[in-house]
Amino acid sequence: MQLFINIVPQAHLNWAALTTLIGEINSQGFASTQLNLQLPADQTLSADQASTAATWSLMINQPAPTSIAETYALTLRETDHVLPGAFLQWEQVSQRHPASLISLASFAESASLDDQMTAYLANYSAEGTPLNTQPETADERWIALWGLQSYSVQSNLQSQAQLAQRLRPTGILIPATLYDNQWPLASLNQILAGLQQGNDVIRLHVPTILTRDWPEVTPLAWLDELETVDVSHLDVQWAPIYTDFMDHQLNTLLGVAGRRHVSATDHRQLLTRIKDLNTQPAHWWTRLGLLQLLSPQMAHQLFY
Amino acid sequence: MKYSLITPCKPAEYPQLLSLKHNLDRQNTHDFEWIIALNGQIDFSQPAWQADYTIQQVDHTPATLGAARNAAMALATGDWLVFVDSDDYLLPNALADLDAIDRLHPDVLGDLNQFPTYEPHSSFKNSLEQTNVHDSLPKWGGAKKREPKNRSLNLPPELFDQLPAQIDVDPETANWLSHRYFYIDGDQRWDLFNRQLKIAGKVINRRLVEKHHLQFAEDRELYPDFHFMTQVMSHTTGYLRLSEPSYIRVKHNDPINQPAVHQLTAPDRWQQRIAAWQDALADLKDPALHLAFGTYTLQRLHRFFYQALATSTPTEVDDVPALIKQLHDYLQMVEPAAFKTVPHLSRRILHKLRRRAQTPQTAINVIVRLRQLNRVIHHHGRGVTRLAYGWWFTKMPVKPRTILYESFLGRNFSDSPKAIYNYLQANYPGRFKHVWIMNPGVEETPAGQPNTTVVKRFGWRYMYYLATAKFQVINMRQPKWFVKRPGTKFLATWHGTPLKHLVFDMDNVASANPLYKEIFYEQSRQWDYLVTANQFSVDVFEHAFMYPVKQMLPSGYPRNDILSAPDRDEQAKQIKLKLGIPLDKKIILYAPTWRDDDYYGVGDYKFTLKLDIDRLRRELGDEYVLVLRTHYFITEHLDTTGFGDFVYNESSYDDISELYLIADVLITDYSSVFFDYAILKRPILYFVYDYEKYGSVLRGFYLNMEKDLPGPLLKTNDDVLAALHDLPTVTKNYAAAYQRFSERFNNWEDGHATQRVVDAFFNEDLTN
């Protein structure tokens, strides 16, 4: 397995976070890894940063993996984290299903990792195994977490209930055979292309990464991403699926943004843009439905 | 030698052995010997039997499963005995995975982890070769809710290098992370009791077996394992099962021709089972195991025994009083605590049986009925009419002059039942009461015609007439819970000359309902007569349905009488007028089969007409119109508005015979419609644009599509157009083939099939 890790800044590149992430990646002890930083057009690296990047063998703005065989591409934000043993776990799954998308479960970046691990382990029984799911030390916690690792082969690709964990630019391992070079690596279009070609998605159940939700952290960027998909270019059966997904995501955006994760200005901008989309909401009693009846200003006062 | 594989085999199952041999060849370790217990001679000099592991064969007496396993065990030299049945198979890693587990001590009962399927090894091997997925399993053949969803992930030892600090990982845990298994001992030891008790796929230390002189029961035809397995359990301290399924247990979907041991018909099955329980329980000294086994047996009684004894269901139990006495004796041996594990009503019955050797028949009937009622409640009332059918309607008197008709499961008013109905109405008016089963929403029904009632399928009146009508005339299958009452007569008209393999001629396919063959067999035993269209059908039905020839009516199809009627031209004119087709236009009927692999997703079927309608209209529109007859799924998705008055979409038209009558030429493919259409002696074209892709399907046909057809196989629109432009040449070129075809399939069709069927089936009921 060769990994092409594509790092996309969350907003303005957080160099300290990037340094941490690259440290975590290097400590996986995985030789065949390529790193790429996808810098937005308005950002550049300083001379020092560029020099450090060179020592990391960090490519800048490389659009796709340079080698193909057995390569998987994964997009992460620089604020995300890779947990110990992650690559080895991905490799084991990829050997069994070399041509499938692999969807990675994730812990939330916003809460304490130790607390999340403890809570996670407490939910599982260790009957029939030598595992201790109430470990006292961090190392024991890692072993217990690895011990619970499992995966499932999911062929219900269009299940709306599970689409949110599959249809996201970060946290999905894309095999080179499913890579479509007409789309950016970090894009919904890229994942949709993979879903349309593939027969199944592999879900790795126990978290191996730590991420932040796009709708929560960067709602406007998420809206941009949602809008890049042209439904008329999707396969016939995927068009209504994506429309429903979009409806659901817009409601999520309205809900999340209303909890003051964004500034008032951004909130108003978000409402205006969503209103301008003129989507027909599936249900009128949702936030999206209400927004169709109100002005963005009024909705801002009501929802924020 | 690490492993001795023990395989008992009956002489008739010899072909399965070769299949298992191919499977064992693929094991990643060959540190094993294979001992086959078979009364017969295997020629090990044959190339097929060459292997780089030892294979031995041993005879056994008596010819029972228990004696076979004992004989094989006596020859074994491996450290571990592995029990593999001849129809099952192993995944390639099974033995290697087991080998890697440190926890498998001699005092542990090992299990390769059974995975039930209906997919035989040959089919699974083929699917493996077509994929690069390395954890493939055959199609799940167990209860849907028990299908394993999560697969465990073995992790390499290098993982420990990733720990933030160096720690000493317990070796057992380290080994477990790389080779996952499930292990229980101590207080949990008797969890999963049922799984521990099954012999297939178990791995048992040979020295442990020898030390305790453990043997299978040799004198039992059935259930030889209980004593052996419970003794093994009592002499082991833990149970270890591989996390991933490795032992593929092939279930049998043809219990009529290839019954598994548990499917063998044995009226004394319960007696044998309880006797085996008695033997096993008597020798169990460990109180916890004694209780666990007693609990297991009571749960089996609770789940299966009452149904076998209830008077409302057909009972196949021999000598009930002796059985009850035997059960009474057995229950004395069971720990009182075990009774507490079964639900209240069941416990009362078991306590009664324990106190007195007398059948508590009323309580048994009550519990069976309450279970039926519970099922209905669980399904929010669905099935309540069926309950009424079983409980009450089947107890009501049979109505001697009532006929119940069903065509295509109530989807339309058509086919041979319609022809029989029309004939009786015309020739025996007022003689019978006719009841037609129709689904809601069907447009053309016989409602309003004299002496005719239309009932909704599965409704109250349907259940009433299904139970009380003396005659049933049905062209597909009756419900599997249908009760054939004494004095009633069942006419199966069936619905076509068979083209694709049917029932017992079908492969052991994983996609078919696993119980299909058995259910079909039971249902067809309820048919008094089966209508056949030709000698070919008689021959096919004899093996495909295993149906006795003497009960087949060699009559031709009633539905086809219309095609030979003296006034068929006048009828055709009326049908054209009804459909609004100009009388001066000739008609092309296009009736392709439905390709069930051609869909976007559930309920969203693709249908791109491969026939170039636009070109057909351009070139033939002055002379012809096109009538489309496709699957009803497709009808709903097909937009023919762009083709003006050239295309008539008659996919929902009830009676296809009437469409045959008006058609001047038929274009079809792999659908059996051409058997009937050929009665008209009009040209037939086969538009088989995906003929190569259909190869695997064609192998399941009774006809050779290259040789037996009365028309040309055309693969492109050019070919079709060319043939349509010059139909006289097609007719001339295929005259001899058409003649042969007609003689083979249609020489009974003289327009009087209905009369022959009615006379034979109703017989004296027409006049008495």
Side-chain angles (χ1 to χ4, degrees):
Chain A
M1 182 195 195
Q2 299 192 21
L3 266 174
F4 180 86
I5 297 187
N6 184 44
I7 303 166
V8 185
Q10 180 176 299
H12 194 82
L13 177 65
N14 180 336
W15 184 255
L18 179 70
T19 308
T20 307
L21 176 63
I22 294 201
E24 288 165 357
I25 290 171
N26 288 337
S27 69
Q28 300 279 328
F30 217 74
S32 43
T33 308
Q34 289 183 306
L35 298 173
N36 177 56
L37 179 64
Q38 203 67 46
L39 272 180
D42 58 347
Q43 293 184 36
T44 50
L45 294 184
S46 67
D48 279 356
Q49 288 173 339
S51 156
T52 312
T55 63
W56 290 334
S57 303
L58 177 68
M59 297 178 283
I60 310 293
N61 294 342
Q62 178 79 31
T66 47
S67 64
I68 291 297
E70 295 179 18
T71 299
Y72 280 79
L74 171 72
T75 298
L76 292 172
R77 282 177 152 174
E78 88 282 28
T79 46
D80 295 343
H81 295 272
V82 179
L83 302 182
F87 285 18
L88 279 170
Q89 295 176 59
W90 303 345
E91 185 180 48
Q92 294 302 308
V93 184
S94 72
Q95 283 170 357
R96 297 184 183 199
H97 290 269
S100 300
L101 294 175
I102 301 172
S103 155
L104 305 175
S106 159
F107 282 129
E109 205 269 344
S110 50
S112 149
L113 177 61
D114 277 352
D115 290 351
Q116 289 184 79
M117 283 170 71
T118 306
Y120 189 93
L121 292 173
N123 277 329
Y124 289 90
S125 155
E127 194 195 346
T129 75
L131 295 176
N132 175 10
T133 50
Q134 290 175 320
E136 289 171 3
T137 69
D139 286 335
E140 284 177 340
R141 269 200 289 277
W142 287 118
I143 292 172
L145 206 62
W146 296 337
L148 292 178
Q149 187 59 278
S150 65
Y151 66 96
S152 54
V153 182
Q154 302 176 346
S155 54
N156 57 343
L157 294 186
Q158 297 179 350
S159 159
Q160 203 58 245
Q162 283 166 313
L163 210 53
Q165 64 177 217
R166 294 169 190 162
L167 205 45
R168 53 199 170 96
T170 46
I172 306 282
L173 282 161
I174 308 169
T177 45
L178 291 181
Y179 175 69
D180 185 339
N181 59 15
Q182 71 169 308
W183 305 115
L185 199 48
S187 69
L188 282 184
N189 277 308
Q190 185 63 250
I191 306 294
L192 272 167
L195 287 173
Q196 288 176 96
Q197 288 178 66
N199 296 319
D200 50 37
V201 168
I202 311 302
R203 175 73 177 173
L204 202 56
H205 297 136
V206 176
T208 48
I209 50 176
L210 209 68
T211 59
R212 306 178 79 178
D213 268 356
W214 283 55
E216 200 167 295
V217 184
T218 49
L220 286 167
W222 183 235
L223 183 57
D224 289 341
E225 196 52 50
L226 289 170
E227 285 187 276
T228 56
V229 176
D230 180 354
V231 177
S232 64
H233 284 99
L234 295 177
D235 284 355
V236 178
Q237 80 275 29
W238 273 97
I241 302 290
Y242 186 78
T243 307
D244 286 352
F245 174 77
M246 177 101 169
D247 184 283
H248 190 259
Q249 288 300 312
L250 293 178
N251 271 309
T252 306
L253 269 178
L254 290 172
V256 171
R259 290 198 293 270
R260 301 202 175 211
H261 284 295
V262 291
S263 66
T265 318
D266 282 356
H267 190 245
R268 274 193 289 271
Q269 192 188 344
L270 193 69
L271 291 174
T272 309
R273 283 184 54 190
I274 292 177
K275 173 113 181 160
D276 289 348
L277 286 175
N278 268 328
T279 51
Q280 288 294 316
H283 304 292
W284 287 102
W285 58 88
T286 57
R287 282 174 184 261
L288 187 59
L290 279 172
L291 183 61
Q292 305 303 317
L293 306 172
L294 304 170
S295 70
Q297 198 57 40
M298 176 78 79
H300 172 67
Q301 285 175 0
L302 276 175
F303 297 161
Y304 194 64
Chain B
M1 184 75 64
K2 184 85 181 184
Y3 301 107
S4 295
L5 273 56
I6 307 289
T7 301
C9 182
K10 290 180 187 165
E13 296 167 349
Y14 175 78
Q16 292 173 180
L17 279 179
L18 273 176
S19 185
L20 179 56
K21 155 83 174 43
H22 293 315
N23 173 255
L24 295 179
D25 288 346
R26 291 164 164 250
Q27 278 298 304
N28 291 346
T29 171
H30 280 182
D31 187 11
F32 64 85
E33 60 177 355
W34 186 24
I35 307 172
I36 302 163
L38 168 75
N39 284 336
Q41 201 57 47
I42 300 175
D43 184 358
F44 287 117
S45 64
Q46 292 286 322
W49 281 102
Q50 302 305 306
D52 55 2
Y53 50 89
T54 311
I55 308 177
Q56 294 184 75
Q57 185 223 329
V58 59
D59 290 340
H60 55 279
T61 314
T64 60
L65 198 54
R69 290 201 178 111
N70 287 340
M73 287 198 305
L75 277 189
T77 57
D79 297 337
W80 294 90
L81 304 172
V82 182
F83 292 89
V84 183
D85 286 348
S86 63
D87 47 355
D88 298 341
Y89 53 97
L90 306 181
L91 291 187
N93 263 340
L95 296 177
D97 282 352
L98 200 66
D99 212 12
I101 294 175
D102 297 340
R103 190 71 190 77
L104 189 66
H105 300 161
D107 62 345
V108 167
L109 168 61
D111 186 349
L112 292 174
N113 195 352
Q114 272 194 21
F115 183 91
T117 185
Y118 287 92
E119 196 172 340
H121 180 243
S122 53
S123 147
F124 178 58
K125 187 163 67 93
N126 286 341
S127 57
L128 269 188
E129 283 162 3
Q130 289 163 15
T131 176
N132 58 354
V133 171
H134 300 300
D135 62 357
S136 282
L137 286 169
K139 190 170 178 182
W140 174 252
K144 196 176 174 188
K145 62 183 175 188
R146 290 197 186 151
E147 180 173 3
K149 298 275 188 307
N150 292 358
R151 310 291 300 271
S152 65
L153 192 66
N154 290 333
L155 297 171
E158 302 88 73
L159 196 65
F160 300 116
D161 301 340
Q162 309 270 310
L163 286 171
Q166 277 298 325
I167 59 162
D168 289 331
V169 181
D170 162 36
E172 187 188 340
T173 307
N175 177 255
W176 180 86
L177 277 169
S178 304
H179 310 282
R180 303 285 171 98
Y181 57 84
F182 176 88
Y183 178 79
I184 44 175
D185 57 9
D187 292 345
Q188 278 83 44
R189 174 66 213 275
W190 308 123
D191 291 355
L192 304 176
F193 195 86
N194 195 3
R195 293 196 73 153
Q196 295 195 44
L197 208 51
K198 287 182 176 139
I199 182 71
K202 288 294 180 297
V203 183
I204 302 165
N205 188 270
R206 182 175 58 85
R207 286 184 190 85
L208 181 140
V209 171
E210 285 174 359
K211 180 180 167 193
H212 298 284
H213 311 291
L214 304 183
Q215 293 270 293
F216 290 88
E218 298 200 344
D219 52 348
R220 294 195 189 290
E221 291 291 333
L222 304 170
Y223 309 109
D225 313 337
F226 280 123
H227 189 270
F228 177 84
M229 282 310 296
T230 47
Q231 285 303 308
V232 167
M233 288 158 85
S234 75
H235 290 107
T236 47
T237 57
Y239 168 64
L240 184 150
R241 194 185 72 210
L242 294 181
S243 286
E244 283 290 295
S246 300
Y247 184 95
I248 309 301
R249 182 168 61 88
V250 180
K251 295 168 84 174
H252 295 214
N253 77 353
D254 185 359
I256 309 301
N257 294 306
Q258 287 180 300
V261 175
H262 75 274
Q263 291 169 329
L264 290 168
T265 308
D268 65 341
R269 180 173 283 278
W270 272 105
Q271 281 90 337
Q272 292 203 46
R273 184 182 283 152
I274 292 169
W277 288 351
Q278 279 172 319
D279 288 353
L281 198 60
D283 285 344
L284 289 180
K285 306 290 180 251
D286 175 41
L289 179 56
H290 195 280
L291 175 62
F293 186 73
T295 303
Y296 161 80
T297 57
L298 295 193
Q299 293 290 348
R300 306 305 279 182
L301 290 168
H302 165 72
R303 207 166 150 201
F304 301 110
F305 187 64
Y306 310 134
Q307 183 77 17
L309 285 193
T311 49
S312 58
T313 52
T315 175
E316 289 172 2
V317 178
D318 251 7
D319 197 358
V320 175
L323 171 64
I324 295 296
K325 171 74 175 69
Q326 190 187 0
L327 182 57
H328 167 75
D329 294 342
Y330 173 70
L331 291 175
Q332 311 306 315
M333 301 165 69
V334 177
E335 293 274 319
F339 286 80
K340 291 180 183 156
T341 61
V342 289
H344 177 67
L345 278 178
S346 191
R347 197 184 322 151
R348 279 180 57 187
I349 294 173
L350 292 173
H351 274 310
K352 276 185 189 173
L353 281 164
R354 194 178 193 213
R355 281 196 297 273
R356 294 180 61 191
Q358 211 169 56
T359 317
Q361 192 63 58
T362 310
I364 286 176
N365 286 346
V366 166
I367 199 168
V368 168
R369 292 202 164 195
L370 281 176
R371 283 176 182 181
Q372 293 170 340
L373 190 62
N374 189 39
R375 210 173 298 134
V376 170
I377 293 167
H378 186 71
H379 289 101
H380 310 290
R382 198 169 155 229
V384 67
T385 55
R386 183 182 145 191
L387 214 58
Y389 172 83
W391 289 6
W392 300 304
F393 294 152
T394 46
K395 311 287 184 297
M396 297 172 90
V398 170
K399 292 175 167 293
R401 290 198 186 174
T402 301
I403 309 172
L404 186 73
Y405 303 88
E406 185 183 81
S407 175
F408 296 112
L409 309 174
R411 278 203 293 270
N412 43 38
F413 174 51
S414 65
D415 209 67
S416 295
K418 178 184 173 185
I420 292 167
Y421 166 76
N422 284 340
Y423 180 86
L424 288 171
Q425 285 285 46
N427 294 283
Y428 300 92
R431 172 97 198 138
F432 295 102
K433 177 181 172 67
H434 307 275
V435 181
W436 266 92
I437 299 164
M438 309 285 340
N439 289 336
V442 176
E443 283 177 15
E444 190 186 345
T445 75
Q449 296 195 31
N451 305 309
T452 304
T453 303
V454 171
V455 297
K456 189 179 94 174
R457 197 157 187 261
F458 298 138
W460 291 100
R461 290 191 305 159
Y462 163 86
M463 294 296 176
Y464 171 73
Y465 285 115
L466 190 67
T468 59
K470 177 173 177 178
F471 305 100
Q472 285 91 25
V473 179
I474 291 181
N475 81 341
M476 285 179 76
R477 290 191 288 155
Q478 70 276 29
K480 66 180 177 200
W481 38 263
F482 173 76
V483 178
K484 178 78 166 62
R485 299 180 63 191
T488 59
K489 291 172 86 175
F490 196 109
L491 177 68
T493 67
W494 204 239
H495 50 273
T497 298
L499 176 62
K500 293 166 193 168
H501 281 181
L502 293 169
V503 201
F504 291 106
D505 290 344
M506 287 160 79
D507 289 337
N508 191 11
V509 280
S511 56
N513 177 353
L515 299 173
Y516 176 64
K517 290 181 184 178
E518 184 183 14
I519 293 170
F520 194 100
Y521 183 81
E522 299 302 334
Q523 287 174 319
S524 56
R525 295 319 96 175
Q526 295 179 325
W527 302 346
D528 293 300
Y529 293 101
L530 171 62
V531 176
T532 53
N534 41 50
Q535 187 58 43
F536 172 81
S537 298
V538 171
D539 298 340
V540 169
F541 290 156
E542 189 182 6
H543 48 82
F545 292 174
M546 297 180 69
Y547 193 80
V549 174
K550 65 178 189 310
Q551 282 176 246
M552 294 187 206
L553 296 178
S555 54
Y557 271 145
R559 68 179 184 194
N560 290 337
D561 283 353
I562 185 178
L563 305 178
S564 310
D567 63 340
R568 70 183 190 187
D569 292 340
E570 179 54 31
Q571 286 199 50
K573 189 176 158 190
Q574 295 305 321
I575 295 162
K576 274 186 169 181
L577 287 172
K578 186 164 116 186
L579 297 176
I581 298 173
L583 294 177
D584 60 334
K585 290 284 177 76
K586 289 195 215 165
I587 294 175
I588 303 164
L589 174 62
Y590 182 41
T593 191
W594 174 55
R595 282 124 171 98
D596 55 5
D597 60 337
D598 202 12
Y599 62 92
Y600 289 120
V602 178
D604 195 2
Y605 296 90
K606 275 182 193 174
F607 188 63
T608 42
L609 267 183
K610 296 288 192 294
L611 191 67
D612 189 343
I613 298 184
D614 212 25
R615 195 170 154 202
L616 238 63
R617 184 176 60 164
R618 270 199 321 273
E619 297 188 23
L620 298 163
D622 292 341
E623 194 182 353
Y624 286 96
V625 295
L626 180 70
V627 171
L628 284 179
R629 172 78 180 192
T630 66
H631 194 278
Y632 68 97
F633 280 146
I634 294 156
T635 320
E636 292 162 11
H637 291 77
L638 191 64
D639 181 10
T640 54
T641 48
F643 300 113
D645 56 1
F646 178 66
V647 173
Y648 291 78
N649 187 358
E650 298 302 340
S651 302
S652 320
Y653 194 78
D654 263 338
D655 200 340
I656 193 170
S657 305
E658 297 186 359
L659 299 181
Y660 299 149
L661 205 54
I662 59 170
D664 296 278
V665 54
L666 169 72
I667 305 177
T668 184
D669 44 28
Y670 317 104
S671 163
S672 61
V673 294
F674 60 85
F675 288 111
D676 296 340
Y677 187 78
I679 295 169
L680 293 163
K681 306 274 196 304
R682 296 173 191 165
I684 302 172
L685 310 178
Y686 296 84
F687 182 37
V688 286
Y689 55 87
D690 51 359
Y691 191 71
E692 279 72 27
K693 185 182 155 194
Y694 243 66
S696 60
V697 180
L698 296 172
R699 280 192 286 280
F701 277 29
Y702 289 116
L703 254 60
N704 182 334
M705 295 288 281
E706 304 275 352
K707 293 180 183 166
D708 296 339
L709 300 183
L713 289 176
L714 308 169
K715 294 179 186 169
T716 65
N717 274 290
D718 288 341
D719 296 341
V720 173
L721 261 298
L724 286 171
H725 278 300
D726 195 7
L727 282 175
T729 304
V730 172
T731 307
K732 189 177 149 203
N733 290 345
Y734 280 84
Y738 215 128
Q739 180 67 24
R740 282 197 303 276
F741 185 87
S742 294
E743 281 169 13
R744 191 174 173 199
F745 296 106
N746 287 330
N747 65 353
W748 294 356
E749 305 285 5
D750 58 358
H752 299 287
T754 314
Q755 186 183 351
R756 284 193 289 273
V757 169
V758 166
D759 289 349
F761 178 65
F762 292 97
N763 203 350
E764 66 266 23
D765 289 295
L766 294 169
T767 48
N768 289 345

